[in-house]
Each structure stands twice: as structure tokens, then as C-alpha cells.
Amino acid sequence: AVVSTQSTGGAIKYILTTERFFFFKRYKLKNVHHVVFYEPPLHSECYTHYVNMLGEASGTCQHTTTLLYNKLDGTKLERIVGEKQCKLLINSAQTTHMIVSS
């Protein structure tokens, strides 16, 4: 509860959390503008939860989500972007991809 109270006032710039913490606590943090995943979450609802928090942040700040993955993360990535998009991402010669949603 301390983290969510302080984050509303802008006192905390970065929060390091785990998927396990999300699974058991499911805190809803305010004023989140950037989320970084160091690997695709095992449960896709974790990804969805954090991305939806971005939409609830106030102001005109640009919101970003960064997801780092490699070819071995195909199964977890597929749960987030779907089978077709996953194959395109994994088999692409490009090293960086941008997926934009409105």
C-alpha cells in the first residue's frame, strides 16, 4: 500500500516487481508511464494488467511498454501477441520491432 500511495504523488520513479508479486497482490499503480518486461510473462494477463495501467495514467505523457524476448520465448510471446504475429516476430531478420495500438 505504501508504494501505491507514494506513486500517486510522483515520489517513486521506478518499481522493480516480479510476475509472482503481481499474481498474488495485483496492486493497481497510478501514474505509470513506462513498463519494461525483461521477458514475456508466463501469464498473459500480467502483461495486459500493466499495459492497461498505462491507459489510466493522467496527462499527455507518451506511454511505452518494452518487452525483451528471444527465440526461446516463443510460447510465452504467443500468448501475448497471437500465433501469427509471434511467428513473424521470432523469424524476422530485424532485431527490433514496434507494435503500436490505439
Side-chain angles (χ1 to χ4, degrees), residues 41-83:
L42 185 60
H43 301 283
S44 61
E45 59 268 10
C46 178
Y47 182 85
T48 306
H49 176 81
Y50 284 110
V51 170
N52 286 337
M53 280 194 311
L54 294 175
E56 295 172 1
S58 60
T60 59
C61 178
Q62 180 181 3
H63 308 295
T64 62
T65 303
T66 303
L67 173 63
L68 305 175
Y69 67 91
N70 63 40
K71 292 182 186 274
L72 300 176
D73 292 323
T75 304
K76 292 188 277 186
L77 185 62
E78 184 178 324
R79 293 181 187 129
I80 296 170
V81 298
E83 182 180 0

Side-chain angles (χ1 to χ4, degrees), residues 1-12 15 21 25-32 53:
V2 174
V3 172
S4 60
T5 301
Q6 290 178 344
S7 68
T8 59
I12 297 176
I15 297 174
F21 177 80
K25 300 294 183 183
R26 298 196 188 235
Y27 285 136
K28 201 164 203 172
L29 304 175
K30 297 179 181 177
N31 295 327
V32 175
M53 280 194 311

